[in-house]
Every structure is written in structure tokens, then in C-alpha cells.
Amino acid sequence: MNRQGPGYGAVSRRTLVRGMAAAGTLAGIGMPFVARAAEPIRIGFPTPVTGPFGAEAKDQIRSAELAVKQFNEAGGLNGRMAELLVRDDKLNPGEAATRTLELIEKDRAHFIVGALSSAVQLSVNEITRSRKVIYVSISQSDTINEAKDFSRHTFHEALNPHMTTAAVAKHAFKKGTRVAYLVADYAYGHEMLRGFKRAAAAIGAETAGEILHPFGAPDYSTFMPRLRAMRPDILCICNFGRDQANSIKQANDFGLKKASRIVVPVLLHNQRLAGGADAFEGVVGASNYYWRLEETVPTAKAFNDAFRAAYAGAVPTDYGAYGYTAVRSLLMAVKAAGDTDTDKVVTALEGLKYDVAKGPESYRACDHQAIQSVLITESKKKSEMQGEADLFRILEVEPGSEAMLRSCDELGHRA
């Protein structure tokens, strides 16, 4: 007798589906039950792939990708893998805001890391804080730490202009030193100038004069005679990317390096390669990272070795290291939180003590600024170099401490 009438079959099938799903088989066809893949941990990464900071941006991407690869190879978060979603912000605040909004709303990014300009990172931060999404900035800025731009979702893994200029001035300035400034006329240049003048006033150095130049200036020849006429002991060049290489080369061509010592707030790996050993010889500046830290810092050696293995023997650069440390610290916090829940990860980041590439780091409570060391480096003579990557000597390492930062009160954070 056929017992499988319409009612019987329908009830039996529903029961069978529930039972087989619980048993791990797909109802009705006897195939293994395939669970939906765990949602990936999506990290949006806006950075200026095109434009004058493109070399630094590409280094950030490679190092960030290495951090993601290591996280995934270690099993991710209970099997949840991370993925990096790179977007070109074109070094434009409006473009960066659009790309960040797309990453959050269309691509459903859990977190945002990146940016390579003071103005761009503030634009990214405006979007992330309005959407309550964690943003880890990897570009120098003093403003992003100030209360008016800060949110509990904002973390700043990069050094800031106050830290770098204070460290360079401490090394290079003396009481009575005459300092002339050549400054890129945008937020980065202005913040560096402010930092140097503040440090100079504390030391007793004098300002011989200052000249602002347009961002991305193709020619600096009109500025050089004016700078020479100031007769400075030190010429302080406050710019970034290709501007740094071009202005230092022209200062050298005009003989300024023979009359004055050249210092920069951030001595860039890629611009030293672009400018050449002769033009950069003796130039002093600060850095967040240099690969020869491996001689004294075990985590730098581990980072370098992993990078060499991943990228055909190459070594990581300064701004590349920011991409690595930011993503590594973020994913460490995700693991500590056991989840991608924003509030849990914020709490984990605030309590995180990490050492992934350069020694101990942590995020200060009031403004989420990374407390970390500052390196003072000097560009080597060509005859002193031991290989193409041996660009600098490390003159000093200023240990990370809260004393290096502007106070929470000065930044507008009230207890």
C-alpha cells in the first residue's frame, strides 16, 4: 500500500531535512552538507596608488598584504580569513571619502586602514567616525589626534609631526643655530614647520626665514638664491614624496649643502633611492623604521626575513612598515576580542601592547596615538654603502614614551 500521500510526504520531508541537516547531510540527495563559508574579515585600504606618493603607497600595500598573509597562515580568527581591499584615493580628499564610503557600504569592510596625506586621512576619518567604523591611520598628522577630529574609533599608528620634528631638532639644533625653512604649502608642511619652530624655541635656535612652495612643484630654482641669502646654519626642508627628492637635488646643485646642513623631518627611503647617494649624502632626518634595526631588534629581523621571503629578497621600507604594523596590530586586537564587533575591537586596541617590527608599541588612551620609538638617520656616502639597500646609518633611537607627545590637555581631551 502506498502510504505517501501529499500530507504524509510533506511532513516527512520537512522532518527529514531537519534531521539530516543536524546530522551533516543534505536532505533528499545524500550529499555531505556544506556549511556557508565563514565571513572574511574585510580591511579597507585607501592609499594613493597613483600620484607623487605612489612609491610609498605601493610599499604600504605590500607590507599590509604580508600582515594579512601571516594572519591567515596562522589560522585567522577561528578559521575566518582576512582580506585586504585596496582602493586608490588618488591623493585627493574627495576621492578618498568616496572610496571609503564605498568600502563601508558596498564592500562591507569591517575596518579601514590607510591614507598617506594629512588632508586625505582627515577626510577618511570623517567618514569612518560618522559610520562608527574603526580607522587606523598610517600617515603623519598632528590634527587627527586633536579632540575636534578624534573619535573613539580613530587610531593613529604613524608617528606625528610633533614627534619627528622634536627628535630631529634635539639632534641637529643648538642654541643660536640659524635655521631656514623650505616648506610645502599644505597641511603636512605646515604641521612640520610648526613642530620645528616649537622645538627650536625650546632649544634657543633662531629662524633665519621661511619659504612656502606649491605642492608638487616641478622646479625649486627660484627659491634657492633666497634661501642662500638667509645664510642659515641649517636648511630644513619640510615636504614629502617626490618633492623631497627634487628639492634636495636642487639644493645640492645650488651649493646649499656646502654652506648649510640639510635636515628633513622624515628621511624617506624611496626618495633617497630616487635622488641618489650624492645629492642626499649627509642629509639627516627622522624615520619610523629602517631595515637595519634587525641588528638590535628581534622583531625587525623577523619582519625583514618574512618580507624578503615574500618579495624576492627585497627589504621593507619606512612607510611600508606602517602598513604592516597597522594591520598586524589591528588583527591582533581582533584575535584578542574574538570577534569583529567594533566595540570589542576598540577595547582590545586600547589595551594592546604589541611588538611586531620595531620594539614595544601601544596606543595612548586619550587620543589613540601609537607610542613608539623615533629613529634619527643619516644618508650614507656611496663609498660607505654595503649594497643597494644600505642607504642610511642609524644615529640615534629615541625610545617611545608619552613624554614625546603633546599632552592630552593640549590636544583638547579633558579627563
Side-chain angles (χ1 to χ4, degrees):
M1 179 185 291
N2 183 1
R3 297 176 180 271
Q4 295 187 0
Y8 178 92
V11 172
S12 298
R13 191 170 294 111
R14 285 196 295 270
T15 303
L16 187 63
V17 167
R18 287 197 294 268
M20 285 187 169
T25 59
L26 184 61
I29 59 173
M31 296 293 289
F33 178 73
V34 180
R36 186 169 64 88
E39 182 187 22
I41 301 165
R42 292 178 291 271
I43 302 172
F45 201 84
T47 192
V49 178
T50 56
F53 298 174
E56 286 77 18
K58 288 166 188 172
D59 285 343
Q60 286 185 337
I61 294 166
R62 291 206 300 174
S63 292
E65 287 175 340
L66 176 60
V68 167
K69 177 175 179 283
Q70 290 177 323
F71 176 80
N72 290 342
E73 287 177 346
L77 176 65
N78 301 321
R80 286 183 69 184
M81 300 293 106
E83 62 180 17
L84 195 72
L85 308 176
V86 178
R87 299 292 182 269
D88 185 4
D89 66 35
K90 300 179 182 177
L91 206 61
N92 180 284
E95 183 77 15
T98 299
R99 299 285 82 81
T100 302
L101 196 58
E102 286 178 355
L103 282 164
I104 293 169
E105 297 193 345
K106 179 182 175 183
D107 300 310
R108 295 181 296 120
H110 296 95
F111 313 106
I112 303 294
V113 177
L116 239 174
S117 152
S118 298
V120 168
Q121 70 179 308
L122 293 176
S123 179
V124 172
N125 187 56
E126 193 63 33
I127 297 297
T128 55
R129 71 176 185 168
S130 70
R131 298 304 191 278
K132 295 181 168 55
V133 172
I134 291 171
Y135 172 43
V136 184
S137 170
I138 50 176
S139 172
Q140 289 219 30
S141 173
D142 278 329
T143 307
I144 200 167
N145 298 110
E146 295 173 357
K148 63 183 176 60
D149 285 295
F150 176 76
S151 82
R152 70 183 296 267
H153 303 100
T154 304
F155 290 82
H156 190 230
E157 216 293 321
L159 300 175
N160 62 44
H162 177 80
M163 298 165 74
T164 53
T165 56
V168 173
K170 180 181 176 182
H171 173 82
F173 294 4
K174 295 179 174 58
K175 186 175 182 179
T177 299
R178 287 175 51 79
V179 186
Y181 300 94
L182 178 64
V183 181
D185 192 9
Y186 72 111
Y188 173 90
H190 292 289
E191 289 187 356
M192 291 299 182
L193 176 62
R194 181 181 67 183
F196 270 125
K197 284 188 168 182
R198 175 175 175 151
I203 292 168
E206 302 171 5
T207 297
E210 62 190 65
I211 295 175
L212 299 179
H213 73 76
F215 172 71
D219 180 41
Y220 297 83
S221 60
T222 58
F223 306 126
M224 297 305 163
R226 294 166 57 194
L227 290 166
R228 286 195 66 170
M230 296 174 190
R231 306 178 72 85
D233 301 305
I234 290 175
L235 171 58
C236 192
I237 298 178
C238 301
N239 53 24
F240 193 87
R242 289 201 295 259
D243 284 346
Q244 183 176 98
N246 292 338
S247 56
I248 288 176
K249 285 171 68 177
Q250 291 196 27
N252 192 54
D253 291 343
F254 275 81
L256 272 157
K257 201 164 66 174
K258 294 178 181 178
S260 309
R261 187 181 191 187
I262 295 180
V263 304
V264 295
V266 182
L267 187 52
L268 295 167
H269 183 110
N270 287 323
Q271 301 316 315
R272 158 58 186 81
L273 287 174
D278 292 340
F280 271 73
E281 180 186 326
V283 175
V284 170
S287 180
N288 60 300
Y289 186 80
Y290 179 52
W291 68 268
R292 294 203 75 144
L293 271 178
E294 69 180 16
E295 295 165 3
T296 55
V297 180
T299 51
K301 178 70 163 61
F303 172 37
N304 292 343
D305 286 348
F307 196 94
R308 289 182 180 110
Y311 299 112
V315 292
T317 66
D318 41 17
Y319 268 74
Y322 279 141
Y324 183 78
T325 52
V327 173
R328 274 291 304 272
S329 66
L330 173 61
L331 290 173
M332 287 172 72
V334 169
K335 270 202 167 183
D339 201 342
T340 53
D341 176 80
T342 299
D343 288 337
K344 291 179 182 178
V345 178
V346 166
T347 299
L349 279 167
E350 289 176 332
L352 191 67
K353 309 291 183 187
Y354 60 104
D355 178 359
V356 298
K358 58 177 294 186
E361 295 189 56
S362 61
Y363 290 105
R364 184 167 67 166
C366 75
D367 62 348
H368 294 169
Q369 168 63 45
I371 299 172
Q372 59 181 291
S373 60
V374 180
L375 283 60
I376 301 298
T377 57
E378 180 179 34
S379 188
K380 288 184 173 183
K381 296 179 182 178
K382 182 180 278 187
S383 61
E384 297 172 334
M385 294 171 58
Q386 299 175 17
E388 292 182 2
D390 187 27
L391 306 179
F392 309 123
R393 66 173 57 84
I394 299 174
L395 301 177
E396 296 178 28
V397 177
E398 289 279 339
S401 73
E402 192 166 346
M404 299 172 68
L405 309 178
R406 289 190 291 167
S407 71
C408 295
D409 187 67
E410 181 183 347
L411 293 168
H413 302 284
R414 300 290 181 256

